[in-house]
Amino acid sequence: MLKQHTALSIVAPSAERIVQGLKTLEIRSWQPEMLPLKDVVIVENQNFLLNDGDEESGWAVAVVDIEAVHAWREDEVEAACASVWTEGYFAWVIRNIRLIDPPIQVMAKRKLYLLELDIG
């Protein structure tokens, strides 16, 4: 049965690193309006979606919870699987990672968006 899910697109290979449990923080220049965000579908895509309306094909690879958001700290580079730290960004705390196996092909879009999927 199709159900609406909140989704967040993440450029490869970062979504795979979330699935592997290596990446526990997602770094964004913005923060969601409400927390926590439960059952967010992580969509892996190939390119940064920089402009409103940008979208491309991607793969729903996991369902996660975003428990909190805080100012990204310099000591959190490794948890974010980032190469450098930049001031002024937000760290989204990722928890309760559930694999979607096999991945489902869907559209990747900017910011948080809605997807209709038949997943648990």
mmCIF file of all heavy atoms in Angstrom, residues 26-63:
data_model
loop_
_atom_site.group_PDB
_atom_site.id
_atom_site.type_symbol
_atom_site.label_atom_id
_atom_site.label_comp_id
_atom_site.label_asym_id
_atom_site.label_seq_id
_atom_site.Cartn_x
_atom_site.Cartn_y
_atom_site.Cartn_z
ATOM 1 N N GLU A 26 24.314 14.593 9.001
ATOM 2 C CA GLU A 26 24.136 15.164 7.667
ATOM 3 C C GLU A 26 24.276 16.668 7.816
ATOM 4 O O GLU A 26 23.636 17.283 8.680
ATOM 5 C CB GLU A 26 22.761 14.801 7.092
ATOM 6 C CG GLU A 26 22.406 15.514 5.817
ATOM 7 C CD GLU A 26 23.350 15.250 4.650
ATOM 8 O OE1 GLU A 26 24.190 14.322 4.687
ATOM 9 O OE2 GLU A 26 23.274 16.010 3.667
ATOM 10 N N ILE A 27 25.133 17.275 7.001
ATOM 11 C CA ILE A 27 25.425 18.697 7.123
ATOM 12 C C ILE A 27 24.634 19.476 6.077
ATOM 13 O O ILE A 27 24.692 19.166 4.888
ATOM 14 C CB ILE A 27 26.937 18.959 6.965
ATOM 15 C CG1 ILE A 27 27.744 18.084 7.933
ATOM 16 C CG2 ILE A 27 27.250 20.440 7.148
ATOM 17 C CD1 ILE A 27 27.318 18.172 9.387
ATOM 18 N N ARG A 28 23.915 20.481 6.542
ATOM 19 C CA ARG A 28 23.081 21.311 5.671
ATOM 20 C C ARG A 28 23.250 22.779 6.049
ATOM 21 O O ARG A 28 23.613 23.108 7.174
ATOM 22 C CB ARG A 28 21.596 20.937 5.838
ATOM 23 C CG ARG A 28 21.260 19.515 5.425
ATOM 24 C CD ARG A 28 21.143 19.419 3.930
ATOM 25 N NE ARG A 28 21.192 18.051 3.454
ATOM 26 C CZ ARG A 28 20.586 17.631 2.367
ATOM 27 N NH1 ARG A 28 19.868 18.458 1.637
ATOM 28 N NH2 ARG A 28 20.719 16.385 1.977
ATOM 29 N N SER A 29 22.929 23.659 5.097
ATOM 30 C CA SER A 29 22.991 25.101 5.365
ATOM 31 C C SER A 29 21.689 25.599 5.987
ATOM 32 O O SER A 29 21.580 26.759 6.345
ATOM 33 C CB SER A 29 23.267 25.861 4.063
ATOM 34 O OG SER A 29 22.213 25.636 3.137
ATOM 35 N N TRP A 30 20.721 24.729 6.108
ATOM 36 C CA TRP A 30 19.405 25.079 6.641
ATOM 37 C C TRP A 30 18.976 23.991 7.637
ATOM 38 O O TRP A 30 19.588 22.940 7.718
ATOM 39 C CB TRP A 30 18.379 25.197 5.511
ATOM 40 C CG TRP A 30 18.311 23.966 4.650
ATOM 41 C CD1 TRP A 30 19.184 23.600 3.654
ATOM 42 C CD2 TRP A 30 17.366 22.907 4.738
ATOM 43 N NE1 TRP A 30 18.818 22.390 3.119
ATOM 44 C CE2 TRP A 30 17.703 21.944 3.761
ATOM 45 C CE3 TRP A 30 16.254 22.669 5.538
ATOM 46 C CZ2 TRP A 30 16.965 20.768 3.575
ATOM 47 C CZ3 TRP A 30 15.526 21.507 5.349
ATOM 48 C CH2 TRP A 30 15.886 20.577 4.363
ATOM 49 N N GLN A 31 17.921 24.283 8.390
ATOM 50 C CA GLN A 31 17.416 23.298 9.331
ATOM 51 C C GLN A 31 15.911 23.134 9.146
ATOM 52 O O GLN A 31 15.241 24.048 8.681
ATOM 53 C CB GLN A 31 17.776 23.668 10.761
ATOM 54 C CG GLN A 31 17.404 25.047 11.199
ATOM 55 C CD GLN A 31 17.965 25.345 12.572
ATOM 56 O OE1 GLN A 31 18.052 24.478 13.426
ATOM 57 N NE2 GLN A 31 18.327 26.581 12.808
ATOM 58 N N PRO A 32 15.394 21.960 9.499
ATOM 59 C CA PRO A 32 13.955 21.730 9.327
ATOM 60 C C PRO A 32 13.141 22.582 10.296
ATOM 61 O O PRO A 32 13.637 23.006 11.334
ATOM 62 C CB PRO A 32 13.796 20.240 9.640
ATOM 63 C CG PRO A 32 14.978 19.883 10.462
ATOM 64 C CD PRO A 32 16.082 20.798 10.049
ATOM 65 N N GLU A 33 11.881 22.784 9.944
ATOM 66 C CA GLU A 33 11.004 23.608 10.771
ATOM 67 C C GLU A 33 10.592 22.908 12.056
ATOM 68 O O GLU A 33 10.330 23.566 13.056
ATOM 69 C CB GLU A 33 9.759 24.005 9.969
ATOM 70 C CG GLU A 33 10.068 24.929 8.811
ATOM 71 C CD GLU A 33 8.841 25.233 7.979
ATOM 72 O OE1 GLU A 33 7.700 24.976 8.431
ATOM 73 O OE2 GLU A 33 9.012 25.740 6.867
ATOM 74 N N MET A 34 10.509 21.555 12.006
ATOM 75 C CA MET A 34 10.070 20.802 13.179
ATOM 76 C C MET A 34 10.981 19.601 13.405
ATOM 77 O O MET A 34 11.505 19.035 12.456
ATOM 78 C CB MET A 34 8.636 20.296 12.976
ATOM 79 C CG MET A 34 7.612 21.398 12.900
ATOM 80 S SD MET A 34 5.899 20.852 12.536
ATOM 81 C CE MET A 34 5.814 19.196 13.121
ATOM 82 N N LEU A 35 11.132 19.231 14.673
ATOM 83 C CA LEU A 35 11.907 18.053 15.046
ATOM 84 C C LEU A 35 11.164 17.312 16.147
ATOM 85 O O LEU A 35 10.410 17.937 16.886
ATOM 86 C CB LEU A 35 13.293 18.467 15.563
ATOM 87 C CG LEU A 35 14.265 18.978 14.517
ATOM 88 C CD1 LEU A 35 15.478 19.606 15.188
ATOM 89 C CD2 LEU A 35 14.696 17.862 13.590
ATOM 90 N N PRO A 36 11.374 16.024 16.312
ATOM 91 C CA PRO A 36 12.204 15.189 15.452
ATOM 92 C C PRO A 36 11.493 14.873 14.147
ATOM 93 O O PRO A 36 10.278 15.054 14.037
ATOM 94 C CB PRO A 36 12.384 13.915 16.286
ATOM 95 C CG PRO A 36 11.120 13.842 17.103
ATOM 96 C CD PRO A 36 10.747 15.274 17.400
ATOM 97 N N LEU A 37 12.263 14.426 13.152
ATOM 98 C CA LEU A 37 11.709 13.943 11.885
ATOM 99 C C LEU A 37 11.830 12.423 11.915
ATOM 100 O O LEU A 37 12.940 11.897 11.926
ATOM 101 C CB LEU A 37 12.491 14.513 10.700
ATOM 102 C CG LEU A 37 12.400 16.010 10.472
ATOM 103 C CD1 LEU A 37 13.357 16.425 9.363
ATOM 104 C CD2 LEU A 37 10.978 16.412 10.113
ATOM 105 N N LYS A 38 10.709 11.751 11.932
ATOM 106 C CA LYS A 38 10.703 10.285 11.992
ATOM 107 C C LYS A 38 10.459 9.711 10.609
ATOM 108 O O LYS A 38 9.701 10.284 9.816
ATOM 109 C CB LYS A 38 9.611 9.796 12.952
ATOM 110 C CG LYS A 38 9.794 10.268 14.385
ATOM 111 C CD LYS A 38 10.961 9.583 15.038
ATOM 112 C CE LYS A 38 11.044 9.915 16.518
ATOM 113 N NZ LYS A 38 12.198 9.345 17.151
ATOM 114 N N ASP A 39 11.084 8.569 10.338
ATOM 115 C CA ASP A 39 10.847 7.803 9.109
ATOM 116 C C ASP A 39 11.117 8.611 7.835
ATOM 117 O O ASP A 39 10.313 8.624 6.912
ATOM 118 C CB ASP A 39 9.416 7.241 9.096
ATOM 119 C CG ASP A 39 9.140 6.366 10.304
ATOM 120 O OD1 ASP A 39 10.063 5.644 10.742
ATOM 121 O OD2 ASP A 39 8.007 6.396 10.816
ATOM 122 N N VAL A 40 12.255 9.282 7.795
ATOM 123 C CA VAL A 40 12.668 10.047 6.619
ATOM 124 C C VAL A 40 13.354 9.098 5.639
ATOM 125 O O VAL A 40 14.289 8.378 6.011
ATOM 126 C CB VAL A 40 13.628 11.194 7.008
ATOM 127 C CG1 VAL A 40 14.130 11.933 5.774
ATOM 128 C CG2 VAL A 40 12.945 12.148 7.976
ATOM 129 N N VAL A 41 12.905 9.103 4.396
ATOM 130 C CA VAL A 41 13.514 8.271 3.358
ATOM 131 C C VAL A 41 14.758 8.983 2.834
ATOM 132 O O VAL A 41 14.684 10.148 2.419
ATOM 133 C CB VAL A 41 12.527 7.999 2.210
ATOM 134 C CG1 VAL A 41 13.207 7.244 1.070
ATOM 135 C CG2 VAL A 41 11.319 7.224 2.717
ATOM 136 N N ILE A 42 15.894 8.294 2.868
ATOM 137 C CA ILE A 42 17.134 8.829 2.311
ATOM 138 C C ILE A 42 17.221 8.399 0.846
ATOM 139 O O ILE A 42 17.167 7.207 0.546
ATOM 140 C CB ILE A 42 18.368 8.322 3.093
ATOM 141 C CG1 ILE A 42 18.298 8.774 4.554
ATOM 142 C CG2 ILE A 42 19.662 8.784 2.426
ATOM 143 C CD1 ILE A 42 18.279 10.272 4.768
ATOM 144 N N VAL A 43 17.329 9.390 -0.035
ATOM 145 C CA VAL A 43 17.416 9.140 -1.472
ATOM 146 C C VAL A 43 18.819 9.507 -1.930
ATOM 147 O O VAL A 43 19.254 10.650 -1.767
ATOM 148 C CB VAL A 43 16.363 9.961 -2.250
ATOM 149 C CG1 VAL A 43 16.520 9.766 -3.747
ATOM 150 C CG2 VAL A 43 14.956 9.589 -1.791
ATOM 151 N N GLU A 44 19.530 8.528 -2.497
ATOM 152 C CA GLU A 44 20.877 8.793 -3.002
ATOM 153 C C GLU A 44 20.795 9.199 -4.466
ATOM 154 O O GLU A 44 20.166 8.520 -5.271
ATOM 155 C CB GLU A 44 21.760 7.557 -2.854
ATOM 156 C CG GLU A 44 23.204 7.848 -3.254
ATOM 157 C CD GLU A 44 24.143 6.733 -2.862
ATOM 158 O OE1 GLU A 44 23.993 5.625 -3.401
ATOM 159 O OE2 GLU A 44 25.004 6.968 -2.006
ATOM 160 N N ASN A 45 21.410 10.336 -4.771
ATOM 161 C CA ASN A 45 21.470 10.808 -6.154
ATOM 162 C C ASN A 45 22.903 11.209 -6.482
ATOM 163 O O ASN A 45 23.778 11.140 -5.623
ATOM 164 C CB ASN A 45 20.477 11.957 -6.379
ATOM 165 C CG ASN A 45 20.748 13.167 -5.516
ATOM 166 O OD1 ASN A 45 20.751 13.087 -4.298
ATOM 167 N ND2 ASN A 45 20.975 14.301 -6.154
ATOM 168 N N GLN A 46 23.155 11.583 -7.737
ATOM 169 C CA GLN A 46 24.529 11.774 -8.219
ATOM 170 C C GLN A 46 25.019 13.214 -8.241
ATOM 171 O O GLN A 46 26.220 13.446 -8.312
ATOM 172 C CB GLN A 46 24.663 11.182 -9.634
ATOM 173 C CG GLN A 46 24.422 9.676 -9.667
ATOM 174 C CD GLN A 46 25.371 8.911 -8.757
ATOM 175 O OE1 GLN A 46 26.572 9.108 -8.794
ATOM 176 N NE2 GLN A 46 24.818 8.053 -7.907
ATOM 177 N N ASN A 47 24.118 14.194 -8.203
ATOM 178 C CA ASN A 47 24.516 15.592 -8.348
ATOM 179 C C ASN A 47 23.874 16.456 -7.267
ATOM 180 O O ASN A 47 22.761 16.178 -6.829
ATOM 181 C CB ASN A 47 24.085 16.117 -9.726
ATOM 182 C CG ASN A 47 24.715 15.336 -10.845
ATOM 183 O OD1 ASN A 47 25.912 15.413 -11.063
ATOM 184 N ND2 ASN A 47 23.912 14.546 -11.546
ATOM 185 N N PHE A 48 24.576 17.510 -6.866
ATOM 186 C CA PHE A 48 23.994 18.468 -5.933
ATOM 187 C C PHE A 48 22.832 19.170 -6.635
ATOM 188 O O PHE A 48 22.965 19.612 -7.772
ATOM 189 C CB PHE A 48 25.033 19.496 -5.477
ATOM 190 C CG PHE A 48 26.049 18.915 -4.543
ATOM 191 C CD1 PHE A 48 27.311 18.587 -4.979
ATOM 192 C CD2 PHE A 48 25.729 18.681 -3.212
ATOM 193 C CE1 PHE A 48 28.258 18.045 -4.120
ATOM 194 C CE2 PHE A 48 26.660 18.130 -2.335
ATOM 195 C CZ PHE A 48 27.923 17.812 -2.793
ATOM 196 N N LEU A 49 21.712 19.275 -5.950
ATOM 197 C CA LEU A 49 20.527 19.948 -6.472
ATOM 198 C C LEU A 49 20.530 21.348 -5.875
ATOM 199 O O LEU A 49 20.156 21.536 -4.721
ATOM 200 C CB LEU A 49 19.277 19.159 -6.099
ATOM 201 C CG LEU A 49 19.305 17.685 -6.547
ATOM 202 C CD1 LEU A 49 18.080 16.939 -6.031
ATOM 203 C CD2 LEU A 49 19.429 17.570 -8.054
ATOM 204 N N LEU A 50 20.989 22.310 -6.648
ATOM 205 C CA LEU A 50 21.305 23.627 -6.107
ATOM 206 C C LEU A 50 20.194 24.661 -6.251
ATOM 207 O O LEU A 50 20.155 25.631 -5.511
ATOM 208 C CB LEU A 50 22.576 24.161 -6.785
ATOM 209 C CG LEU A 50 23.817 23.260 -6.633
ATOM 210 C CD1 LEU A 50 24.967 23.798 -7.472
ATOM 211 C CD2 LEU A 50 24.200 23.130 -5.175
ATOM 212 N N ASN A 51 19.305 24.475 -7.222
ATOM 213 C CA ASN A 51 18.287 25.483 -7.496
ATOM 214 C C ASN A 51 16.895 24.930 -7.261
ATOM 215 O O ASN A 51 16.645 23.743 -7.467
ATOM 216 C CB ASN A 51 18.404 25.955 -8.951
ATOM 217 C CG ASN A 51 19.770 26.539 -9.245
ATOM 218 O OD1 ASN A 51 20.189 27.473 -8.580
ATOM 219 N ND2 ASN A 51 20.467 25.986 -10.214
ATOM 220 N N ASP A 52 15.980 25.800 -6.829
ATOM 221 C CA ASP A 52 14.593 25.376 -6.645
ATOM 222 C C ASP A 52 14.096 24.717 -7.918
ATOM 223 O O ASP A 52 14.337 25.213 -9.019
ATOM 224 C CB ASP A 52 13.701 26.569 -6.287
ATOM 225 C CG ASP A 52 13.930 27.049 -4.863
ATOM 226 O OD1 ASP A 52 14.499 26.284 -4.059
ATOM 227 O OD2 ASP A 52 13.536 28.192 -4.569
ATOM 228 N N GLY A 53 13.434 23.598 -7.767
ATOM 229 C CA GLY A 53 12.917 22.868 -8.921
ATOM 230 C C GLY A 53 13.870 21.826 -9.476
ATOM 231 O O GLY A 53 13.469 21.003 -10.296
ATOM 232 N N ASP A 54 15.152 21.843 -9.064
ATOM 233 C CA ASP A 54 16.099 20.827 -9.536
ATOM 234 C C ASP A 54 15.652 19.455 -9.041
ATOM 235 O O ASP A 54 15.246 19.297 -7.891
ATOM 236 C CB ASP A 54 17.513 21.087 -8.995
ATOM 237 C CG ASP A 54 18.245 22.199 -9.725
ATOM 238 O OD1 ASP A 54 17.678 22.759 -10.687
ATOM 239 O OD2 ASP A 54 19.389 22.495 -9.329
ATOM 240 N N GLU A 55 15.730 18.469 -9.928
ATOM 241 C CA GLU A 55 15.457 17.093 -9.534
ATOM 242 C C GLU A 55 16.126 16.160 -10.530
ATOM 243 O O GLU A 55 16.474 16.560 -11.636
ATOM 244 C CB GLU A 55 13.961 16.808 -9.422
ATOM 245 C CG GLU A 55 13.148 17.107 -10.652
ATOM 246 C CD GLU A 55 11.662 16.857 -10.419
ATOM 247 O OE1 GLU A 55 11.067 17.504 -9.541
ATOM 248 O OE2 GLU A 55 11.100 16.005 -11.131
ATOM 249 N N GLU A 56 16.356 14.928 -10.092
ATOM 250 C CA GLU A 56 16.946 13.906 -10.941
ATOM 251 C C GLU A 56 16.584 12.546 -10.379
ATOM 252 O O GLU A 56 16.099 12.433 -9.253
ATOM 253 C CB GLU A 56 18.464 14.066 -11.033
ATOM 254 C CG GLU A 56 19.206 13.775 -9.746
ATOM 255 C CD GLU A 56 20.713 13.954 -9.865
ATOM 256 O OE1 GLU A 56 21.159 14.862 -10.576
ATOM 257 O OE2 GLU A 56 21.431 13.166 -9.232
ATOM 258 N N SER A 57 16.853 11.521 -11.138
ATOM 259 C CA SER A 57 16.575 10.165 -10.689
ATOM 260 C C SER A 57 17.521 9.791 -9.544
ATOM 261 O O SER A 57 18.691 10.179 -9.539
ATOM 262 C CB SER A 57 16.764 9.197 -11.851
ATOM 263 O OG SER A 57 16.444 7.896 -11.447
ATOM 264 N N GLY A 58 16.993 9.061 -8.579
ATOM 265 C CA GLY A 58 17.800 8.611 -7.453
ATOM 266 C C GLY A 58 17.274 7.290 -6.936
ATOM 267 O O GLY A 58 16.366 6.695 -7.523
ATOM 268 N N TRP A 59 17.828 6.837 -5.814
ATOM 269 C CA TRP A 59 17.456 5.554 -5.215
ATOM 270 C C TRP A 59 17.145 5.734 -3.742
ATOM 271 O O TRP A 59 17.982 6.251 -2.989
ATOM 272 C CB TRP A 59 18.594 4.550 -5.379
ATOM 273 C CG TRP A 59 18.833 4.192 -6.815
ATOM 274 C CD1 TRP A 59 19.704 4.802 -7.679
ATOM 275 C CD2 TRP A 59 18.174 3.175 -7.562
ATOM 276 N NE1 TRP A 59 19.621 4.214 -8.913
ATOM 277 C CE2 TRP A 59 18.697 3.204 -8.870
ATOM 278 C CE3 TRP A 59 17.201 2.228 -7.244
ATOM 279 C CZ2 TRP A 59 18.274 2.341 -9.870
ATOM 280 C CZ3 TRP A 59 16.783 1.358 -8.241
ATOM 281 C CH2 TRP A 59 17.312 1.417 -9.531
ATOM 282 N N ALA A 60 15.948 5.308 -3.320
ATOM 283 C CA ALA A 60 15.597 5.280 -1.903
ATOM 284 C C ALA A 60 16.369 4.117 -1.282
ATOM 285 O O ALA A 60 16.179 2.967 -1.678
ATOM 286 C CB ALA A 60 14.099 5.090 -1.733
ATOM 287 N N VAL A 61 17.297 4.423 -0.356
ATOM 288 C CA VAL A 61 18.194 3.401 0.182
ATOM 289 C C VAL A 61 17.987 3.108 1.668
ATOM 290 O O VAL A 61 18.418 2.070 2.149
ATOM 291 C CB VAL A 61 19.680 3.764 -0.072
ATOM 292 C CG1 VAL A 61 19.975 3.801 -1.563
ATOM 293 C CG2 VAL A 61 20.053 5.079 0.596
ATOM 294 N N ALA A 62 17.356 4.027 2.390
ATOM 295 C CA ALA A 62 17.190 3.824 3.833
ATOM 296 C C ALA A 62 16.069 4.702 4.366
ATOM 297 O O ALA A 62 15.665 5.681 3.729
ATOM 298 C CB ALA A 62 18.485 4.142 4.570
ATOM 299 N N VAL A 63 15.612 4.343 5.550
ATOM 300 C CA VAL A 63 14.678 5.157 6.322
ATOM 301 C C VAL A 63 15.391 5.468 7.636
ATOM 302 O O VAL A 63 15.973 4.575 8.263
ATOM 303 C CB VAL A 63 13.356 4.406 6.584
ATOM 304 C CG1 VAL A 63 12.423 5.256 7.430
ATOM 305 C CG2 VAL A 63 12.694 4.014 5.271
#
